[in-house]
Amino acid sequence: MAVAQPRPRPSNPRILVEHRSAAAVEDTPVVFEIGDAAVYYGAFRAVRDVSLQIHEKQITAFIGPSGCGKTTMLRALNRMHDTTPGAKVTGKLLYHGVDLYGPQVSAVEVRRRIGMVFQKPNPFPKSIYDNVSFGPRVNGIRDRAKLDELVETSLRSAALWDEVKDRLRTSALGLSGGQQQRLCIARTIAVEPEVVLMDEPCSALDPIATARIEELMRQLKSQFTIVIVTHNMQQAARVSDRTAFFTAELDSKNDQRTGILVEYDATAKMFSNPADERTENYITGRFG
Amino acid sequence: MQLFELRGRSHHADKAFGWITIAAAGLVLVILGLVAASMTQRALPVLEKMGPDLFTSSKWSAAEDHYGLLAFLFGTLYTAAIALVLAVPVSLGVALFITQVAPRWLKKPMVYLIDLCAVVPSVVWGLWGVLVLSQHFGLGRSFLTAGIILAIMITPIITSLAREVIETTPLTDKEAALALGATRWEMICATVLPHSKGGLVGAVMLGLGRAMGETIAAALVIGSALGQITANPFAPGNSMPAVIANEWGEADDLHKSALIALAVTLFALTIVVNLLATWIVQRGRRHA
Ligand SMILES: Nc1ncnc2c1ncn2[C@@H]1O[C@H](COP(=O)(O)OP(=O)(O)OP(=O)(O)O)[C@@H](O)[C@H]1O
Ligand SMILES: [Mg+2]
């Protein structure tokens, strides 16, 4: 397969990964082992044949054109589909070797370990303090001092402490969009999860706020496994260790567009020398 | 040119619509005012004769031309209170079940059934109360029997309104709570209830207004006892609308005036309840 000429445009994500070597990504333990997974909304199969492994303390990015099932796949990882009427997940989804959808597994416990940050900042209409302490509280922490400490460390980890430490008791809805999103990250890590799923966490933010959150992700990587959905290929190239490229294919039998996983590899490899032509076209902007 | 014409036309339409709404609102106010004025005028004779005793005495005797409505005011408030105590938990429970717990196939039939209960004529509930509660279950005619019948009558209304309010809770709020490892009940307490607080109070107040004004069902089961002020729920009593319905037919002039005074008092009471409800709802909004 021919390697395309690197483009001089600074926006070309390929440039961002050039300094990394393709073999540099470490083989940390596997957190998610996904095999032939599919997700249905009623009779509609939104995504199919997804097989990939997500590694511990790394950032894995899901990229691909709109409607290819990135959000759908991400939500399958912490059983968020349980609350969608008619949604069904099939295939192998193991978390540290345990079937996420096994009969003994509690969705509540799954979500406590696998947190999620949503596309649109969605703080509760409560105070900043109550937003961050909500998770620890529902998980049984009542001790005031411990809660105070968790709120502070979480807000510090989310790079928000200095901006809000004097107004912890004021409504979270008074924060800016970027601050709200960092609050949502703080709220998620206050539960001390093992994995943080992020669905386009920066899509509502300006470039400065985006840069802060990317910086944050790089720091959080030392403690958490992160999976991020993004439309911004530069972002995927900048922050992720591994990248999964999804696309939607028209099924000629029933005229439905179903998402598939095209290619999954180290980010440096994906952006410099992808194996599949569709990936190549997508990351160079010739498609989607 | 075309743009100008378009704007001009919609401008006129807007203006006309504005005037029509103002006129309609004005008309409603005028009618309400006229009703209040003519009723109050006809209540004056009894007020002149009785003075403040009209409101502070519980003795009501057409033979002695002595009219004190305190016992009926008590009966109205007491039965309405019993009705609320019984109806509110049931309504909230059913509304939460329908919106948060029930599987999809059960939702529609339940909503349909409850809306059907709301249109059963009150005289049917009243007769059912006489036959089943009073006679079969031996509750007799009493405050409690009336309270139960009123509760049954207002439960569908409160449930219906509560369901609509609860359904406006943003999905993003609910998902945020679930993603932090909250159970369904914790999610409801943290997001659904605070979000719906104002609307729920409104729904309950509407039920209260309905319970206080209900005439025929109350008249059938409350027992038509005069002058009864007691906390004993098994005692027979009377309520303002029930007295009016029972006595209007054979009332002479002053007696009629006294009954009209009852109606005006009831009218004032429902207005106070509604203003109170509006105030509570708005206060809830401001604090949210
Ligand atoms: N709740 C739902 N019910 C039915 N269909 C859904 C639902 N959510 C998503 N879909 C469908 O599933 C497919 C994949 O959607 P998904 O949201 O996962 O795409 P995505 O890759 O995240 O897209 P985007 O980049 O626009 O966010 C789409 O065809 C979408 O219409
Ligand atoms: Mg999406």
Side-chain angles (χ1 to χ4, degrees), chain A residues 236-256:
Chain A
R238 279 191 300 259
V239 302
S240 72
D241 300 289
R242 295 168 197 265
T243 299
F245 171 63
F246 292 79
T247 194
E249 263 189 359
L250 194 67
D251 188 336
S252 53
K253 270 181 294 182
N254 50 15
D255 221 28
Q256 286 177 346

Side-chain angles (χ1 to χ4, degrees), chain A residues 20 59 214 217-218 228 234-241:
Chain A
R20 302 195 205 167
I59 300 179
E214 285 180 13
M217 284 191 277
R218 276 188 284 262
I228 175 178
Q234 285 83 36
Q235 182 170 65
R238 279 191 300 259
V239 302
S240 72
D241 300 289

Side-chain angles (χ1 to χ4, degrees), chain A residues 47-252:
Chain A
V47 56
R48 66 175 166 90
D49 298 335
V50 177
S51 299
L52 53 83
Q53 294 181 334
I54 292 170
H55 292 258
E56 193 168 62
K57 306 216 165 128
Q58 291 186 348
I59 300 179
T60 303
F62 288 0
I63 62 168
S66 190
C68 66
K70 306 178 295 292
T71 299
T72 300
M73 202 52 229
L74 192 74
R75 289 166 63 93
L77 297 182
N78 72 339
R79 291 191 53 171
M80 276 320 273
H81 288 305
D82 287 20
T83 54
T84 315
K88 193 176 82 203
V89 179
T90 64
K92 181 171 81 172
L93 286 101
L94 303 184
Y95 178 67
H96 291 298
V98 178
D99 181 5
L100 272 176
Y101 291 81
Q104 304 292 321
V105 174
S106 136
V108 171
E109 187 56 27
V110 165
R111 296 192 203 112
R112 206 199 67 67
R113 289 161 189 251
I114 307 171
M116 186 164 220
V117 176
F118 297 82
Q119 177 168 3
K120 212 175 120 241
N122 58 350
F124 300 121
K126 301 171 182 242
S127 73
I128 294 168
Y129 184 97
D130 287 346
N131 262 277
V132 182
S133 62
F134 176 83
R137 261 189 243 246
V138 299
N139 290 297
I141 298 175
R142 291 280 177 273
D143 180 46
R144 195 76 215 184
K146 175 84 176 118
L147 281 176
D148 287 352
E149 184 195 318
L150 261 172
V151 168
E152 179 171 345
T153 50
S154 307
L155 285 170
R156 277 190 195 283
S157 307
L160 190 60
W161 175 252
D162 290 329
E163 288 158 69
V164 301
K165 62 172 185 270
D166 300 321
R167 50 194 275 211
L168 292 176
R169 299 286 164 188
T170 61
S171 171
L173 301 181
L175 298 173
S176 76
Q179 289 173 325
Q180 287 190 7
Q181 195 61 306
R182 276 178 283 147
L183 178 67
C184 291
I185 294 174
R187 179 175 72 176
T188 302
I189 60 187
V191 183
E192 301 179 323
E194 295 156 9
V195 180
V196 178
L197 309 175
M198 298 182 168
D199 190 0
E200 301 186 45
C202 304
S203 68
L205 306 182
D206 68 49
I208 293 171
T210 301
R212 298 201 65 157
I213 291 193
E214 285 180 13
E215 178 55 36
L216 186 58
M217 284 191 277
R218 276 188 284 262
Q219 286 165 13
L220 295 177
K221 187 168 95 162
S222 61
Q223 297 173 58
F224 307 103
T225 304
I226 297 176
V227 185
I228 175 178
V229 169
T230 178
H231 265 250
N232 179 332
M233 274 173 290
Q234 285 83 36
Q235 182 170 65
R238 279 191 300 259
V239 302
S240 72
D241 300 289
R242 295 168 197 265
T243 299
F245 171 63
F246 292 79
T247 194
E249 263 189 359
L250 194 67
D251 188 336
S252 53

Side-chain angles (χ1 to χ4, degrees), chain B residues 205-220:
Chain B
M205 288 294 178
L206 229 100
L208 177 62
R210 177 82 198 275
M212 289 193 314
E214 174 51 37
T215 310
I216 191 69
L220 283 167

